[in-house]
Amino acid sequence: MERYNHLNSYLKNKFGERTLKICIDGNFTCPNRDGTKGNGGCIFCSERGSGDHLNNIDISTQVKNHLESYRGLRANKFIAYFQNFTNTYDSIDNLKKKYDSALIDERIVGIQIATRPDCITEEIAKLISSYKNKYYVCVELGLQTSNDKTGIILNRGYTSLDFSNAIKILNKYNIDVVTHIMLGLPNETFEDLKSTVSFINSHNVQGIKIHSTYITKDTKLYDMYLNSKYIPISLEEYLEQLTYVITHINPQIVIHRISGDAPKDILIAPSWNTHKKLVLNGLDKILRERNLYQGIYYK
């Protein structure tokens, strides 16, 4: 029995077989990196961003390299996943060129675009929606927390209202939305987590990614850690908070991820973050032993 909506099962049901992602670096930046809204990016974000840093390789070549490697043999269907930095932060013409350059193989059945709420406009939603005739389309929106005071600490550069406005636009064009939240953020309490879960439940979103807050080299969060201004979340506390999210989130929402994957070569803490099985097995054990499942306490 699956106690929460696993992404793999959702994709298998949707496409009839195993469907995997091709992670793409579209050579984007962010408005809180280039000086438009700030500099340095979010305090937890390294210079690499959240994915493989491949911006010296053109997008079509990245896709071809993936499909021609052993990874291309692991499935017959793939989703082109624009992962790194803010993948709607460009002109409409440039965005279309970048998205089109990824959709070069008949095995690609979808396009997933990670971005910020303040970088969603009507025009961008129209462009993304134009791919729906042929592809499954999904937009990922960073939220991290609904507490705007924490957002300022994070140097996020947008508000919860920006998130709500972006959701309205994407809902209008019937574009699936996946949102990110992070557990163990600086100064966050359990009450903040409860508020964030309620906030997400009040919006029409189709998926969620739950991330642990981890510290990587050369980030502002690393400086806070060195100066004893931030203590990373323990595995035990993370599992308790994760259990709260799973049991209180809308049962229809697909769980895309239950932990963040930090690059091992730049991870500072917590050390348990490199052992994904600790989170997967730990959550499974709690849900089974307490007979819990997704949305059991959802209102």
Side-chain angles (χ1 to χ4, degrees):
M1 167 188 172
E2 287 196 346
R3 293 184 176 267
Y4 58 92
N5 291 331
H6 291 257
L7 175 64
N8 289 344
S9 301
Y10 170 77
L11 292 176
K12 194 170 183 181
N13 289 334
K14 188 172 189 67
F15 296 110
E17 61 183 293
R18 189 184 197 203
T19 304
L20 300 176
K21 291 179 186 174
I22 301 171
C23 294
I24 295 164
D25 184 347
N27 195 18
F28 288 93
T29 184
C30 291
N32 65 341
R33 280 186 171 273
D34 67 4
T36 304
K37 290 196 170 183
N39 292 288
C42 295
I43 64 170
F44 51 78
C45 192
S46 71
E47 288 297 318
R48 291 188 198 174
S50 60
D52 294 328
H53 209 47
L54 300 167
N55 62 12
N56 59 332
I57 305 173
D58 72 84
I59 290 167
S60 294
T61 302
Q62 290 178 47
V63 173
K64 286 175 185 170
N65 288 349
H66 185 103
L67 292 172
E68 289 172 1
S69 73
Y70 72 94
R71 294 172 294 184
L73 301 174
R74 295 175 63 216
N76 297 312
K77 293 181 178 177
F78 296 87
I79 293 169
Y81 176 32
F82 283 83
Q83 180 183 23
N84 226 9
F85 297 121
T86 305
N87 295 274
T88 59
Y89 188 47
D90 209 334
S91 69
I92 295 293
D93 286 347
N94 283 345
L95 290 175
K96 184 166 180 9
K97 285 175 188 171
K98 289 183 177 186
Y99 301 157
D100 287 350
S101 63
L103 304 172
I104 57 168
D105 192 286
E106 61 185 15
R107 287 170 285 180
I108 296 173
V109 295
I111 179 168
Q112 187 159 335
I113 299 163
T115 189
R116 296 160 52 98
D118 57 341
C119 291
I120 290 291
T121 63
E122 194 91 15
E123 292 72 28
I124 287 168
K126 281 181 186 174
L127 171 65
I128 294 171
S129 180
S130 71
Y131 292 97
K132 283 170 54 185
N133 291 335
K134 189 174 178 184
Y135 300 97
Y136 165 68
V137 170
C138 174
V139 168
E140 277 187 26
L141 290 181
L143 173 66
Q144 322 319 349
T145 174
S146 63
N147 186 334
D148 286 336
K149 289 181 181 176
T150 307
I152 292 168
I153 294 170
L154 299 180
N155 193 38
R156 193 173 62 174
Y158 57 82
T159 65
S160 297
L161 180 60
D162 291 323
F163 179 86
S164 297
N165 290 336
I167 293 284
K168 282 179 190 171
I169 294 170
L170 294 167
N171 286 168
K172 178 180 173 183
Y173 289 90
N174 293 316
I175 295 168
D176 274 9
V177 179
V178 177
T179 188
H180 290 222
I181 64 168
M182 291 177 70
L183 311 185
L185 291 168
N187 293 10
E188 286 268 285
T189 66
F190 205 82
E191 289 305 311
D192 290 321
L193 175 63
K194 289 179 180 179
S195 297
T196 297
V197 172
S198 291
F199 182 75
I200 291 169
N201 281 335
S202 71
H203 292 79
N204 178 23
V205 303
Q206 287 65 49
I208 188 171
K209 282 188 170 181
I210 308 158
H211 284 253
S212 47
T213 303
Y214 53 76
I215 303 158
T216 53
K217 288 178 187 174
D218 302 323
T219 59
K220 290 178 182 174
L221 190 62
Y222 178 45
D223 294 338
M224 290 171 66
Y225 174 67
L226 289 178
N227 293 318
S228 301
K229 292 180 179 177
Y230 175 70
I231 299 170
I233 191 169
S234 68
L235 176 60
E236 292 71 26
E237 189 180 358
Y238 183 77
L239 287 171
E240 285 300 324
Q241 292 193 17
L242 180 59
T243 301
Y244 180 89
V245 177
I246 296 293
T247 54
H248 288 77
I249 204 76
N250 185 329
Q252 300 303 313
I253 289 175
V254 178
I255 311 298
H256 283 238
R257 172 169 278 189
I258 60 168
S259 181
D261 292 332
K264 291 182 181 179
D265 59 326
I266 59 171
L267 177 70
I268 300 297
S271 57
W272 60 261
N273 187 266
T274 58
H275 303 287
K276 199 172 183 178
K277 281 280 171 69
L278 290 177
V279 177
L280 291 168
N281 295 341
L283 177 64
D284 183 60
K285 185 172 185 281
I286 290 171
L287 297 180
R288 276 188 295 104
E289 288 181 352
R290 300 181 194 174
N291 195 24
L292 300 173
Y293 51 86
Q294 183 178 341
I296 185 173
Y297 302 123
Y298 169 72
K299 295 177 183 177

